[in-house]
Structures are given as structure tokens and as C-alpha cells.
Amino acid sequence: MYQFVETVAKLYGLLQDDLSKHLFWDRLKYEMNPCIDNTFQIIRTAVGDDRTNPTYWEDIFDTAVSKKMKIILYGPGEQGKGIGQQIIEKGKDFFAFCGRNFEKHPNGIMGKPVLSPLYLKEHSDECYVIISTMKFYGEVFEELKQIGFPMSRILLFTDTVGDIAEQYKKQYFEFPQFYKKDTAFVDAGCFDCSDSLKFAEWCAGRYSKIYAFEPDAVNFAKCETVAKKSGLRDIELLHAGTGKEMTSAFFVSQGDAGSHLSAQLTVAEEHANVEKIQITTLDDVIAPSIKVGFIKMDIEGAEYDALLGAKSVLLRDKPLLAICIYHKRGDMLAIMDLLHTLIPEYRFWIRHYSMSVNETVLYAAIPEEMS
């Protein structure tokens, strides 16, 4: 127990600003008690004020229920599912999800149907819509406006969504001062190649190479198309996952950001699109002659193992890191401890980028005065 307290105190002392320290305690509290109130505390801290009132959305629900209205979440992605889970956890319920790509979900999500936007147009007098996508909330708002959906019944899950949406644009790319220009970038969890494109713009093209890992076959095809169409130079796309050793693994392929490794398939996953994929390591892929300046990892809980498989690269180049720490309980402490053990000069920053408990990123870098 004392060793745990000492470890937490040590890691806390390595955080470099007040926002990081507050988010550290908020996430620790959530991991000990994963409830909606602790989720809202993370969001409040992320936006820097106290406008996210935990009763705000409950008041909306009570009004809707009293009018026998249907609550529909627009945005069936990972953020939408997270919001849906929070709603149910609080003892509330909602009618359905809605999304432009509704046909991708013929069996629904979380036991709820996924409707087309046309449903909202035809049943506008029966529904309240909560916009549950942060990245596209502005586009969704305009789309609902164009189909004539009543503005008074277009709702946001929290009144901080505009602030969070602005922060979302900076996800993974907060600290340009720590990136060593003209070095390589590792995009672990490439998804649709958008982060590689953002990186190229963020560094004004000052990079030597991009290594982009994406194990999902559907997503990998998207990456190939986007990379070619955009003219992104010097990118090596790898149809593989990253881990601590060269092996193979079961992979639940969803064709979206929720695709993930699965050591032992759940009952639900047995009926999903499961592939056997190649797992490689950064140490095996990246030649010693290539200097790595930045590694981003968003790989659905495989981050710790992938860092173990990048030990030589980390020790050699000490790159800027942007590592997701929300997928697995305990990842925040485990990953910080691992990185500090490997490279004692590393210092840490934490940022949060969503309206749910997801999208918390740990940044690690060596301040200039220590390098």
C-alpha cells in the first residue's frame, strides 16, 4: 500500500502544469469509482470552468418524458455509445441512435435501433435530438436545421460542447515545441489516415517519414485511399497491430474507431467480424538509422504492450509521445510509471478531448533544460 502511495506521489510530481494535475486526480477518482458524476468532473476540468452541471441533461429528460417525446442520440459512434451508457447508468433511457451511415448498423447498437436522418424529418414533432458527436456537432446542427427539425428540440449533452470541440481539433498535437523537426512520426492506430494528415500540416511538412499502423482491413483500405488521394509523402502503411512481440492475435474488425484486439472473444464478439492479424513491434519495424521524433498511440488498450515493444526506439530517440490512457483501468499509472522507469527525464502532461470519459491523452517529453 505504501509503495502504491509513493508511486502515485512520484508520478504526480512529474506532471508539468495545473491542468494535468487536476485531470490526473479526476481520472484516478473515476477509475476507483466509474460513475457519471466523476465523468462530468473530468469534462468540467478539461474545459476549465464549472458550466457542466450534472443535472443539466436530466432536466431535459424529465421535460421530454413528461411530454411523451422520444430521445434520440445523433451520432452512433464511440462517443455516442459512451453518452448512451452514461444516460442508462443514471437510470434514464433513450429511444434510438441516428446517423448518416445508419445502414451500417442493421442490428442496432446497445439494443437500440439506428435511424436515418429522414426519420427525424418525418417525425420531428415526436422527438428531442441530443447531438452526441463532438467532431461533427456543427455539421449535424446545420443538417438538422436544413431538414426543418425544430431548433428548440436540438440539444447538446453538455453546454461545454463548443469548448471541447475546439480542443478536439488539437488532440495529439498540443506541444510542437517538443517535436524534433525532420524526424519520423509513428501513427499507431491510423484509423482513416486523418491524424497522419494533421501531423504533416502541424509540422509544416518537416518530417522524414510516417509509419502508420492499422490492423482493421476496412480502415486500412481507407488509409490507402486517403494517403494516395492527398499525396501524403513518405508514408509507410502497415496492415498490422503493434505490441510487445512479433505474434498474431484475434482482432474484432468493426470498420470504425472501435476495432480492437481480443485475447479471449466474448459472446458478442463471437458473432462479430473477427480476423487473425499480425502483431509487430516498433523495434522490429523501424531501422536504427531512422530517428523517431514523435509517437502517437490510440490502439484500444494495447498501448502498454506497444510501448514495451518500442523500448529500443524510446531509449535511442526519446521522442515526444501522445498516448491514450483511457482504454483500460489503471493505464494512466501503469504507462506513466513504465515511461519514467525507462526514461527518467520524461515529464508529463494530460489533456482530455471529449464529452465522455474517453479521449484522455498522456503526453511525454523531455523539457529543453533537461535535454
Side-chain angles (χ1 to χ4, degrees):
M1 183 62 179
Y2 294 116
Q3 186 177 357
F4 171 77
V5 172
E6 288 177 5
T7 298
V8 170
K10 174 189 71 176
L11 298 177
Y12 179 78
L14 297 171
L15 294 163
Q16 297 299 287
D17 58 20
D18 287 340
L19 176 56
S20 300
K21 291 176 180 178
H22 289 308
L23 285 170
F24 178 90
W25 290 125
D26 290 345
R27 281 221 67 95
L28 199 57
K29 188 187 296 185
Y30 173 84
E31 293 192 3
M32 292 181 175
N33 181 20
C35 65
I36 194 166
D37 289 339
N38 287 338
T39 299
F40 271 104
Q41 185 56 55
I42 292 171
I43 300 169
R44 278 198 293 268
T45 298
V47 298
D49 62 30
D50 202 35
R51 286 177 294 148
T52 307
N53 187 334
T55 63
Y56 174 75
W57 63 275
E58 292 183 70
D59 292 340
I60 294 167
F61 266 67
D62 293 341
T63 301
V65 169
S66 69
K67 294 180 180 179
K68 296 184 170 32
M69 303 287 280
K70 298 173 181 174
I71 299 290
I72 295 177
L73 303 189
Y74 196 119
E78 291 303 302
Q79 290 168 16
K81 285 186 277 188
I83 288 173
Q85 287 167 354
Q86 291 176 49
I87 288 170
I88 291 169
E89 179 187 328
K90 201 68 175 178
K92 307 290 183 180
D93 203 358
F94 61 100
F95 178 69
F97 288 99
C98 178
R100 296 172 195 166
N101 298 320
F102 64 95
E103 70 280 353
K104 288 177 61 178
H105 308 284
N107 299 319
I109 296 173
M110 295 174 59
K112 307 291 184 184
V114 180
L115 309 172
S116 77
L118 183 60
Y119 180 93
L120 297 177
K121 182 176 183 179
E122 295 175 346
H123 299 82
S124 61
D125 57 341
E126 303 172 18
C127 305
Y128 273 91
V129 171
I130 292 182
I131 299 177
S132 55
T133 171
M134 176 179 54
K135 186 176 182 180
F136 302 108
Y137 90 97
E139 294 176 30
V140 171
F141 188 90
E142 287 303 315
E143 180 181 336
L144 292 171
K145 191 174 178 182
Q146 287 171 15
I147 66 174
F149 194 85
M151 295 293 101
S152 61
R153 294 206 296 276
I154 299 177
L155 309 170
L156 301 174
F157 188 59
T158 78
D159 54 356
T160 62
V161 67
D163 302 309
I164 287 281
E166 285 304 306
Q167 288 172 229
Y168 183 82
K169 296 175 183 177
K170 300 185 289 185
Q171 186 171 2
Y172 313 121
F173 301 107
E174 287 266 15
F175 299 101
Q177 68 271 32
F178 297 128
Y179 168 64
K180 300 178 181 69
K181 291 182 173 58
D182 303 312
T183 56
F185 172 59
V186 174
D187 188 353
C190 188
F191 179 43
D192 61 1
C193 216
S194 58
D195 291 329
S196 289
L197 288 173
K198 274 188 193 176
F199 165 74
E201 181 180 357
W202 176 76
C203 72
R206 296 286 302 274
Y207 66 90
S208 60
K209 186 170 183 175
I210 297 173
Y211 293 91
F213 295 82
E214 179 51 57
D216 185 291
V218 174
N219 292 341
F220 185 77
K222 290 179 191 173
C223 292
E224 288 184 309
T225 300
V226 171
K228 185 176 181 180
K229 194 172 183 180
S230 66
L232 193 59
R233 68 168 178 83
D234 297 311
I235 182 169
E236 182 177 341
L237 290 166
L238 298 105
H239 188 194
T242 52
K244 62 182 177 182
E245 59 188 357
M246 297 284 283
T247 185
S248 59
F250 288 116
F251 187 78
V252 181
S253 178
Q254 300 179 181
D256 59 22
S259 299
H260 59 279
L261 292 171
S262 185
Q264 186 171 358
L265 298 180
T266 65
V267 173
E269 289 171 345
E270 286 175 359
H271 302 285
N273 182 20
V274 179
E275 306 170 356
K276 204 162 191 182
I277 63 160
Q278 178 67 41
I279 302 294
T280 187
T281 74
L282 297 191
D283 285 345
D284 284 308
V285 169
I286 300 172
S289 59
I290 301 292
K291 185 173 179 61
V292 175
F294 187 7
I295 298 174
K296 162 244 166 177
M297 286 185 180
D298 187 351
I299 46 179
E300 306 304 313
E303 288 83 2
Y304 186 90
D305 280 354
L307 288 167
L308 288 176
K311 183 177 177 181
S312 295
V313 170
L314 293 173
L315 290 172
R316 183 188 72 214
D317 297 333
K318 300 179 175 61
L320 167 65
L321 304 177
I323 312 295
C324 286
I325 53 170
Y326 64 90
H327 293 113
K328 280 185 179 176
R329 202 172 187 179
D331 262 359
M332 178 177 70
L333 296 180
I335 289 172
M336 289 177 72
D337 196 31
L338 170 65
L339 291 173
H340 179 62
T341 300
L342 286 175
I343 303 171
E345 307 98 302
Y346 264 149
R347 295 297 178 265
F348 301 112
W349 295 258
I350 299 173
R351 296 293 185 267
H352 184 77
Y353 301 97
S354 85
M355 299 180 293
S356 71
V357 75
N358 300 333
E359 311 304 335
T360 304
V361 177
L362 172 74
Y363 295 89
I366 300 175
E368 188 174 327
E369 62 271 18
M370 299 179 64
S371 57

mmCIF file of all heavy atoms in Angstrom, residues 7-39:
data_model
loop_
_atom_site.group_PDB
_atom_site.id
_atom_site.type_symbol
_atom_site.label_atom_id
_atom_site.label_comp_id
_atom_site.label_asym_id
_atom_site.label_seq_id
_atom_site.Cartn_x
_atom_site.Cartn_y
_atom_site.Cartn_z
ATOM 1 N N THR A 7 4.364 5.650 -5.377
ATOM 2 C CA THR A 7 4.362 5.684 -6.840
ATOM 3 C C THR A 7 3.444 6.793 -7.354
ATOM 4 O O THR A 7 3.816 7.556 -8.254
ATOM 5 C CB THR A 7 3.899 4.323 -7.410
ATOM 6 O OG1 THR A 7 4.814 3.311 -6.997
ATOM 7 C CG2 THR A 7 3.844 4.366 -8.937
ATOM 8 N N VAL A 8 2.243 6.889 -6.779
ATOM 9 C CA VAL A 8 1.298 7.934 -7.196
ATOM 10 C C VAL A 8 1.896 9.315 -6.938
ATOM 11 O O VAL A 8 1.828 10.214 -7.793
ATOM 12 C CB VAL A 8 -0.057 7.776 -6.465
ATOM 13 C CG1 VAL A 8 -0.948 8.990 -6.714
ATOM 14 C CG2 VAL A 8 -0.766 6.508 -6.923
ATOM 15 N N ALA A 9 2.495 9.497 -5.773
ATOM 16 C CA ALA A 9 3.107 10.795 -5.441
ATOM 17 C C ALA A 9 4.240 11.132 -6.409
ATOM 18 O O ALA A 9 4.377 12.278 -6.856
ATOM 19 C CB ALA A 9 3.620 10.767 -4.006
ATOM 20 N N LYS A 10 5.045 10.120 -6.746
ATOM 21 C CA LYS A 10 6.160 10.333 -7.682
ATOM 22 C C LYS A 10 5.639 10.763 -9.053
ATOM 23 O O LYS A 10 6.130 11.744 -9.644
ATOM 24 C CB LYS A 10 6.976 9.054 -7.812
ATOM 25 C CG LYS A 10 8.082 9.103 -8.861
ATOM 26 C CD LYS A 10 8.693 7.739 -9.085
ATOM 27 C CE LYS A 10 7.739 6.798 -9.802
ATOM 28 N NZ LYS A 10 8.342 5.487 -10.122
ATOM 29 N N LEU A 11 4.642 10.052 -9.571
ATOM 30 C CA LEU A 11 4.107 10.358 -10.895
ATOM 31 C C LEU A 11 3.422 11.716 -10.910
ATOM 32 O O LEU A 11 3.551 12.479 -11.866
ATOM 33 C CB LEU A 11 3.145 9.254 -11.336
ATOM 34 C CG LEU A 11 3.761 7.855 -11.478
ATOM 35 C CD1 LEU A 11 2.701 6.837 -11.854
ATOM 36 C CD2 LEU A 11 4.887 7.853 -12.499
ATOM 37 N N TYR A 12 2.691 12.029 -9.868
ATOM 38 C CA TYR A 12 2.039 13.335 -9.752
ATOM 39 C C TYR A 12 3.072 14.461 -9.820
ATOM 40 O O TYR A 12 2.852 15.493 -10.461
ATOM 41 C CB TYR A 12 1.251 13.399 -8.446
ATOM 42 C CG TYR A 12 0.561 14.716 -8.200
ATOM 43 C CD1 TYR A 12 -0.630 15.022 -8.850
ATOM 44 C CD2 TYR A 12 1.095 15.642 -7.310
ATOM 45 C CE1 TYR A 12 -1.269 16.240 -8.615
ATOM 46 C CE2 TYR A 12 0.462 16.850 -7.070
ATOM 47 C CZ TYR A 12 -0.717 17.148 -7.721
ATOM 48 O OH TYR A 12 -1.348 18.341 -7.487
ATOM 49 N N GLY A 13 4.216 14.235 -9.182
ATOM 50 C CA GLY A 13 5.260 15.250 -9.172
ATOM 51 C C GLY A 13 5.906 15.477 -10.525
ATOM 52 O O GLY A 13 6.591 16.488 -10.726
ATOM 53 N N LEU A 14 5.703 14.553 -11.472
ATOM 54 C CA LEU A 14 6.280 14.686 -12.811
ATOM 55 C C LEU A 14 5.368 15.437 -13.773
ATOM 56 O O LEU A 14 5.762 15.733 -14.904
ATOM 57 C CB LEU A 14 6.589 13.299 -13.382
ATOM 58 C CG LEU A 14 7.629 12.477 -12.608
ATOM 59 C CD1 LEU A 14 7.687 11.056 -13.147
ATOM 60 C CD2 LEU A 14 8.999 13.134 -12.691
ATOM 61 N N LEU A 15 4.142 15.731 -13.336
ATOM 62 C CA LEU A 15 3.198 16.485 -14.178
ATOM 63 C C LEU A 15 3.601 17.954 -14.199
ATOM 64 O O LEU A 15 3.977 18.527 -13.170
ATOM 65 C CB LEU A 15 1.778 16.320 -13.653
ATOM 66 C CG LEU A 15 1.228 14.887 -13.770
ATOM 67 C CD1 LEU A 15 0.014 14.705 -12.862
ATOM 68 C CD2 LEU A 15 0.874 14.563 -15.209
ATOM 69 N N GLN A 16 3.476 18.579 -15.377
ATOM 70 C CA GLN A 16 4.118 19.875 -15.597
ATOM 71 C C GLN A 16 3.207 21.096 -15.545
ATOM 72 O O GLN A 16 3.677 22.213 -15.697
ATOM 73 C CB GLN A 16 4.857 19.849 -16.941
ATOM 74 C CG GLN A 16 5.987 18.843 -16.985
ATOM 75 C CD GLN A 16 7.057 19.119 -15.947
ATOM 76 O OE1 GLN A 16 7.821 20.063 -16.083
ATOM 77 N NE2 GLN A 16 7.107 18.304 -14.897
ATOM 78 N N ASP A 17 1.889 20.889 -15.374
ATOM 79 C CA ASP A 17 1.025 22.059 -15.225
ATOM 80 C C ASP A 17 -0.195 21.690 -14.387
ATOM 81 O O ASP A 17 -0.481 20.522 -14.127
ATOM 82 C CB ASP A 17 0.617 22.661 -16.578
ATOM 83 C CG ASP A 17 -0.106 21.676 -17.484
ATOM 84 O OD1 ASP A 17 -0.633 20.669 -16.989
ATOM 85 O OD2 ASP A 17 -0.144 21.925 -18.706
ATOM 86 N N ASP A 18 -0.923 22.712 -13.962
ATOM 87 C CA ASP A 18 -2.056 22.502 -13.055
ATOM 88 C C ASP A 18 -3.178 21.706 -13.724
ATOM 89 O O ASP A 18 -3.825 20.879 -13.069
ATOM 90 C CB ASP A 18 -2.594 23.843 -12.562
ATOM 91 C CG ASP A 18 -1.668 24.507 -11.562
ATOM 92 O OD1 ASP A 18 -0.819 23.785 -10.971
ATOM 93 O OD2 ASP A 18 -1.775 25.730 -11.369
ATOM 94 N N LEU A 19 -3.434 21.967 -15.015
ATOM 95 C CA LEU A 19 -4.492 21.231 -15.708
ATOM 96 C C LEU A 19 -4.195 19.739 -15.679
ATOM 97 O O LEU A 19 -5.083 18.917 -15.409
ATOM 98 C CB LEU A 19 -4.622 21.731 -17.152
ATOM 99 C CG LEU A 19 -5.621 20.983 -18.044
ATOM 100 C CD1 LEU A 19 -7.021 20.970 -17.424
ATOM 101 C CD2 LEU A 19 -5.661 21.619 -19.438
ATOM 102 N N SER A 20 -2.965 19.368 -15.955
ATOM 103 C CA SER A 20 -2.572 17.953 -15.921
ATOM 104 C C SER A 20 -2.777 17.358 -14.533
ATOM 105 O O SER A 20 -3.259 16.223 -14.391
ATOM 106 C CB SER A 20 -1.104 17.798 -16.330
ATOM 107 O OG SER A 20 -0.891 18.284 -17.641
ATOM 108 N N LYS A 21 -2.423 18.105 -13.508
ATOM 109 C CA LYS A 21 -2.555 17.600 -12.135
ATOM 110 C C LYS A 21 -4.017 17.386 -11.760
ATOM 111 O O LYS A 21 -4.371 16.381 -11.125
ATOM 112 C CB LYS A 21 -1.875 18.573 -11.165
ATOM 113 C CG LYS A 21 -0.363 18.587 -11.314
ATOM 114 C CD LYS A 21 0.287 19.625 -10.419
ATOM 115 C CE LYS A 21 1.809 19.606 -10.603
ATOM 116 N NZ LYS A 21 2.485 20.630 -9.774
ATOM 117 N N HIS A 22 -4.873 18.328 -12.162
ATOM 118 C CA HIS A 22 -6.306 18.166 -11.871
ATOM 119 C C HIS A 22 -6.883 16.981 -12.628
ATOM 120 O O HIS A 22 -7.669 16.198 -12.072
ATOM 121 C CB HIS A 22 -7.056 19.447 -12.228
ATOM 122 C CG HIS A 22 -6.784 20.588 -11.295
ATOM 123 N ND1 HIS A 22 -6.899 20.481 -9.933
ATOM 124 C CD2 HIS A 22 -6.405 21.874 -11.537
ATOM 125 C CE1 HIS A 22 -6.602 21.644 -9.360
ATOM 126 N NE2 HIS A 22 -6.292 22.492 -10.318
ATOM 127 N N LEU A 23 -6.520 16.837 -13.905
ATOM 128 C CA LEU A 23 -7.026 15.706 -14.690
ATOM 129 C C LEU A 23 -6.508 14.377 -14.153
ATOM 130 O O LEU A 23 -7.210 13.361 -14.199
ATOM 131 C CB LEU A 23 -6.644 15.870 -16.166
ATOM 132 C CG LEU A 23 -7.451 16.909 -16.943
ATOM 133 C CD1 LEU A 23 -6.827 17.156 -18.322
ATOM 134 C CD2 LEU A 23 -8.902 16.464 -17.106
ATOM 135 N N PHE A 24 -5.299 14.371 -13.640
ATOM 136 C CA PHE A 24 -4.719 13.170 -13.024
ATOM 137 C C PHE A 24 -5.612 12.695 -11.873
ATOM 138 O O PHE A 24 -5.999 11.525 -11.810
ATOM 139 C CB PHE A 24 -3.314 13.499 -12.520
ATOM 140 C CG PHE A 24 -2.606 12.368 -11.821
ATOM 141 C CD1 PHE A 24 -1.823 11.486 -12.528
ATOM 142 C CD2 PHE A 24 -2.705 12.218 -10.433
ATOM 143 C CE1 PHE A 24 -1.140 10.448 -11.878
ATOM 144 C CE2 PHE A 24 -2.034 11.189 -9.779
ATOM 145 C CZ PHE A 24 -1.256 10.304 -10.501
ATOM 146 N N TRP A 25 -5.969 13.611 -10.971
ATOM 147 C CA TRP A 25 -6.812 13.226 -9.836
ATOM 148 C C TRP A 25 -8.214 12.858 -10.287
ATOM 149 O O TRP A 25 -8.829 11.919 -9.750
ATOM 150 C CB TRP A 25 -6.870 14.356 -8.808
ATOM 151 C CG TRP A 25 -5.594 14.579 -8.063
ATOM 152 C CD1 TRP A 25 -4.893 15.739 -7.960
ATOM 153 C CD2 TRP A 25 -4.848 13.598 -7.309
ATOM 154 N NE1 TRP A 25 -3.765 15.559 -7.204
ATOM 155 C CE2 TRP A 25 -3.713 14.265 -6.788
ATOM 156 C CE3 TRP A 25 -5.027 12.243 -7.033
ATOM 157 C CZ2 TRP A 25 -2.770 13.605 -6.007
ATOM 158 C CZ3 TRP A 25 -4.081 11.586 -6.250
ATOM 159 C CH2 TRP A 25 -2.978 12.259 -5.745
ATOM 160 N N ASP A 26 -8.745 13.583 -11.275
ATOM 161 C CA ASP A 26 -10.091 13.284 -11.778
ATOM 162 C C ASP A 26 -10.161 11.882 -12.376
ATOM 163 O O ASP A 26 -11.120 11.135 -12.136
ATOM 164 C CB ASP A 26 -10.511 14.310 -12.835
ATOM 165 C CG ASP A 26 -10.768 15.688 -12.249
ATOM 166 O OD1 ASP A 26 -10.892 15.792 -11.021
ATOM 167 O OD2 ASP A 26 -10.810 16.656 -13.027
ATOM 168 N N ARG A 27 -9.154 11.523 -13.163
ATOM 169 C CA ARG A 27 -9.156 10.186 -13.772
ATOM 170 C C ARG A 27 -8.932 9.110 -12.714
ATOM 171 O O ARG A 27 -9.533 8.034 -12.777
ATOM 172 C CB ARG A 27 -8.082 10.077 -14.857
ATOM 173 C CG ARG A 27 -8.472 10.716 -16.173
ATOM 174 C CD ARG A 27 -8.043 9.869 -17.361
ATOM 175 N NE ARG A 27 -8.758 8.622 -17.426
ATOM 176 C CZ ARG A 27 -9.858 8.423 -18.151
ATOM 177 N NH1 ARG A 27 -10.385 9.390 -18.860
ATOM 178 N NH2 ARG A 27 -10.438 7.245 -18.157
ATOM 179 N N LEU A 28 -8.080 9.380 -11.753
ATOM 180 C CA LEU A 28 -7.846 8.417 -10.682
ATOM 181 C C LEU A 28 -9.143 8.178 -9.901
ATOM 182 O O LEU A 28 -9.491 7.035 -9.580
ATOM 183 C CB LEU A 28 -6.746 8.933 -9.759
ATOM 184 C CG LEU A 28 -6.052 7.913 -8.852
ATOM 185 C CD1 LEU A 28 -5.442 6.775 -9.656
ATOM 186 C CD2 LEU A 28 -4.978 8.603 -8.018
ATOM 187 N N LYS A 29 -9.858 9.258 -9.625
ATOM 188 C CA LYS A 29 -11.129 9.135 -8.917
ATOM 189 C C LYS A 29 -12.139 8.343 -9.747
ATOM 190 O O LYS A 29 -12.857 7.479 -9.236
ATOM 191 C CB LYS A 29 -11.689 10.530 -8.611
ATOM 192 C CG LYS A 29 -12.917 10.506 -7.710
ATOM 193 C CD LYS A 29 -13.538 11.890 -7.579
ATOM 194 C CE LYS A 29 -12.591 12.853 -6.896
ATOM 195 N NZ LYS A 29 -13.257 14.168 -6.672
ATOM 196 N N TYR A 30 -12.171 8.613 -11.070
ATOM 197 C CA TYR A 30 -13.093 7.881 -11.944
ATOM 198 C C TYR A 30 -12.737 6.391 -11.979
ATOM 199 O O TYR A 30 -13.623 5.533 -11.949
ATOM 200 C CB TYR A 30 -13.061 8.460 -13.362
ATOM 201 C CG TYR A 30 -13.876 7.622 -14.329
ATOM 202 C CD1 TYR A 30 -15.245 7.813 -14.444
ATOM 203 C CD2 TYR A 30 -13.276 6.615 -15.087
ATOM 204 C CE1 TYR A 30 -16.012 7.021 -15.300
ATOM 205 C CE2 TYR A 30 -14.024 5.819 -15.938
ATOM 206 C CZ TYR A 30 -15.386 6.031 -16.037
ATOM 207 O OH TYR A 30 -16.130 5.233 -16.868
ATOM 208 N N GLU A 31 -11.457 6.074 -12.058
ATOM 209 C CA GLU A 31 -11.058 4.672 -12.140
ATOM 210 C C GLU A 31 -11.382 3.920 -10.848
ATOM 211 O O GLU A 31 -11.633 2.720 -10.865
ATOM 212 C CB GLU A 31 -9.571 4.567 -12.492
ATOM 213 C CG GLU A 31 -9.293 5.064 -13.907
ATOM 214 C CD GLU A 31 -7.905 4.716 -14.418
ATOM 215 O OE1 GLU A 31 -7.166 4.035 -13.696
ATOM 216 O OE2 GLU A 31 -7.579 5.123 -15.544
ATOM 217 N N MET A 32 -11.401 4.617 -9.733
ATOM 218 C CA MET A 32 -11.782 3.988 -8.471
ATOM 219 C C MET A 32 -13.300 3.894 -8.340
ATOM 220 O O MET A 32 -13.819 2.962 -7.719
ATOM 221 C CB MET A 32 -11.196 4.777 -7.296
ATOM 222 C CG MET A 32 -9.682 4.694 -7.208
ATOM 223 S SD MET A 32 -9.037 5.619 -5.803
ATOM 224 C CE MET A 32 -7.293 5.204 -5.901
ATOM 225 N N ASN A 33 -14.002 4.840 -8.947
ATOM 226 C CA ASN A 33 -15.462 4.854 -8.873
ATOM 227 C C ASN A 33 -16.011 5.374 -10.203
ATOM 228 O O ASN A 33 -16.318 6.557 -10.342
ATOM 229 C CB ASN A 33 -15.927 5.741 -7.716
ATOM 230 C CG ASN A 33 -17.440 5.763 -7.577
ATOM 231 O OD1 ASN A 33 -18.140 4.867 -8.072
ATOM 232 N ND2 ASN A 33 -17.971 6.780 -6.912
ATOM 233 N N PRO A 34 -16.132 4.496 -11.215
ATOM 234 C CA PRO A 34 -16.539 4.943 -12.565
ATOM 235 C C PRO A 34 -18.027 5.261 -12.667
ATOM 236 O O PRO A 34 -18.823 4.480 -13.186
ATOM 237 C CB PRO A 34 -16.158 3.741 -13.442
ATOM 238 C CG PRO A 34 -16.197 2.567 -12.534
ATOM 239 C CD PRO A 34 -15.806 3.064 -11.178
ATOM 240 N N CYS A 35 -18.398 6.433 -12.176
ATOM 241 C CA CYS A 35 -19.804 6.864 -12.214
ATOM 242 C C CYS A 35 -19.926 8.141 -13.042
ATOM 243 O O CYS A 35 -18.929 8.781 -13.384
ATOM 244 C CB CYS A 35 -20.335 7.092 -10.803
ATOM 245 S SG CYS A 35 -19.528 8.463 -9.944
ATOM 246 N N ILE A 36 -21.142 8.529 -13.325
ATOM 247 C CA ILE A 36 -21.363 9.675 -14.217
ATOM 248 C C ILE A 36 -20.902 10.994 -13.597
ATOM 249 O O ILE A 36 -20.405 11.879 -14.283
ATOM 250 C CB ILE A 36 -22.834 9.750 -14.662
ATOM 251 C CG1 ILE A 36 -22.966 10.719 -15.840
ATOM 252 C CG2 ILE A 36 -23.748 10.124 -13.514
ATOM 253 C CD1 ILE A 36 -24.274 10.628 -16.569
ATOM 254 N N ASP A 37 -21.043 11.134 -12.269
ATOM 255 C CA ASP A 37 -20.608 12.377 -11.629
ATOM 256 C C ASP A 37 -19.094 12.564 -11.784
ATOM 257 O O ASP A 37 -18.619 13.670 -12.025
ATOM 258 C CB ASP A 37 -20.991 12.379 -10.151
ATOM 259 C CG ASP A 37 -22.489 12.524 -9.953
ATOM 260 O OD1 ASP A 37 -23.161 13.012 -10.878
ATOM 261 O OD2 ASP A 37 -22.983 12.140 -8.883
ATOM 262 N N ASN A 38 -18.337 11.476 -11.663
ATOM 263 C CA ASN A 38 -16.886 11.575 -11.860
ATOM 264 C C ASN A 38 -16.523 11.787 -13.324
ATOM 265 O O ASN A 38 -15.503 12.408 -13.640
ATOM 266 C CB ASN A 38 -16.198 10.326 -11.307
ATOM 267 C CG ASN A 38 -16.191 10.303 -9.786
ATOM 268 O OD1 ASN A 38 -16.323 11.341 -9.140
ATOM 269 N ND2 ASN A 38 -16.058 9.122 -9.208
ATOM 270 N N THR A 39 -17.369 11.292 -14.234
ATOM 271 C CA THR A 39 -17.181 11.591 -15.659
ATOM 272 C C THR A 39 -17.340 13.081 -15.906
ATOM 273 O O THR A 39 -16.515 13.715 -16.586
ATOM 274 C CB THR A 39 -18.200 10.823 -16.515
ATOM 275 O OG1 THR A 39 -18.015 9.419 -16.322
ATOM 276 C CG2 THR A 39 -18.042 11.154 -17.988
#
